[in-house]
Amino acid sequence: MTPPSLLISVLIVMALTPVMFIIHGWMDNFMSRWVQDTVDDASNLLDVNVCAVDWANLAHYNYSESVDNTLIVSDQTTKFIKILNQLNVPSKSITLVGHDLGAHICGQIGQNVNGEIGQIYGLEPAGALITTPPGRPLSFRLDKTDAEYVQFLLTAKGSASVSVGEGHENFYVNGGAAPQPNCGSITNNTGDAESVIVLLCSHFHAYNIFRLSMNPLLVYPARLCLSWADYIAGRCFLNRMTRAGIYSTKQGGDFYLKTSALAPFIMF
């Protein structure tokens, strides 16, 4: 029986079409602007059905309890996906998109179906109590064994999210760390409240880039590189490139890119 605190909202229903799930993170809900905008853009720009997973009542606990609650969400969403399988929607045609703790819910779902999910996009996967002490086992968190293709998109690594991507491809936007150019800056004169705002803005910026990347006309070119320092120094200039987000050519590796401070954040 599905807990009343978990709702999978099927926003578009059409048979035998690929399905994308959008899963929010801690202290969030499926009516958030980013979720609704991502649903709208996905349905308009991609040939997919879209489902939003609302686990708000389980996500609005203290952080530690919400981490534990992710297993409830992944279990129930897995059951829904298995119903889709019975309706001839194969796991490989399913895409999971998760932000923060939602990214690890995606990973848990992938584990539950033996890595047969087609694609997972982890947007700023949470790091606290996941990869930091006491930490959780690999089966609990998102990594490249959870789907045929796993992409990490990092914008506040090491502070609001994991420090290192564990996907087939990992994209480090502006080095992957806060502050992002569109979020202001942190100086010695910045108060605690302002610092938190800048950090959260950077943490949320990952879903801006992902959502915008669904528009084939908006290209976020990224270059294979060993580090942000090497990227900035131009030492990766001859390395191969791909696009961050949904239209990646899925070559594998760690990629770096710069974005501008103003939407749509294209760096010309």
Side-chain angles (χ1 to χ4, degrees), residues 53-84:
V53 178
D54 185 25
W55 63 289
N57 288 346
L58 294 171
H60 284 70
Y61 284 76
N62 69 61
Y63 181 75
S64 178
E65 289 181 280
S66 293
V67 169
D68 292 336
N69 288 341
T70 60
L71 292 172
I72 300 173
V73 185
S74 59
D75 178 66
Q76 295 300 319
T77 308
T78 300
K79 290 178 180 177
F80 184 81
I81 288 174
K82 289 183 177 179
I83 292 173
L84 293 180

Side-chain angles (χ1 to χ4, degrees), residues 49-227:
N49 299 323
V50 186
C51 300
V53 178
D54 185 25
W55 63 289
N57 288 346
L58 294 171
H60 284 70
Y61 284 76
N62 69 61
Y63 181 75
S64 178
E65 289 181 280
S66 293
V67 169
D68 292 336
N69 288 341
T70 60
L71 292 172
I72 300 173
V73 185
S74 59
D75 178 66
Q76 295 300 319
T77 308
T78 300
K79 290 178 180 177
F80 184 81
I81 288 174
K82 289 183 177 179
I83 292 173
L84 293 180
N85 294 158
Q86 294 170 7
L87 296 172
N88 296 318
V89 178
S91 294
K92 67 180 180 181
S93 72
I94 291 174
T95 296
L96 306 179
V97 180
H99 178 253
D100 188 71
L101 287 179
H104 297 300
I105 292 172
C106 293
Q108 293 164 16
I109 295 167
Q111 280 283 314
N112 292 343
V113 297
N114 303 312
E116 295 176 0
I117 294 294
Q119 305 174 98
I120 296 178
Y121 294 89
L123 315 179
E124 276 281 286
L129 303 186
I130 306 292
T131 56
T132 61
R136 297 300 179 107
L138 193 62
S139 60
F140 191 96
R141 67 180 193 263
L142 178 63
D143 77 284
K144 64 183 179 182
T145 67
D146 297 325
E148 293 182 357
Y149 172 76
V150 175
Q151 180 182 128
F152 277 55
L153 208 161
L154 298 177
T155 51
K157 69 181 181 72
S159 50
S161 70
V162 296
S163 297
V164 178
E166 296 185 86
H168 294 97
E169 291 187 324
N170 306 299
F171 289 87
Y172 297 91
V173 182
N174 302 298
Q180 290 292 310
N182 55 301
C183 296
S185 61
I186 299 175
T187 68
N188 291 334
N189 296 323
T190 303
D192 290 342
E194 289 83 358
S195 296
V196 170
I197 290 172
V198 172
L199 178 59
L200 289 177
C201 172
S202 298
H203 184 49
F204 297 152
H205 190 47
Y207 56 58
N208 290 329
I209 297 298
F210 176 79
R211 180 179 65 82
L212 291 167
S213 81
M214 292 190 291
N215 184 337
L217 300 179
L218 297 178
V219 180
Y220 298 90
R223 194 176 296 276
L224 184 72
C225 208
L226 291 176
S227 70

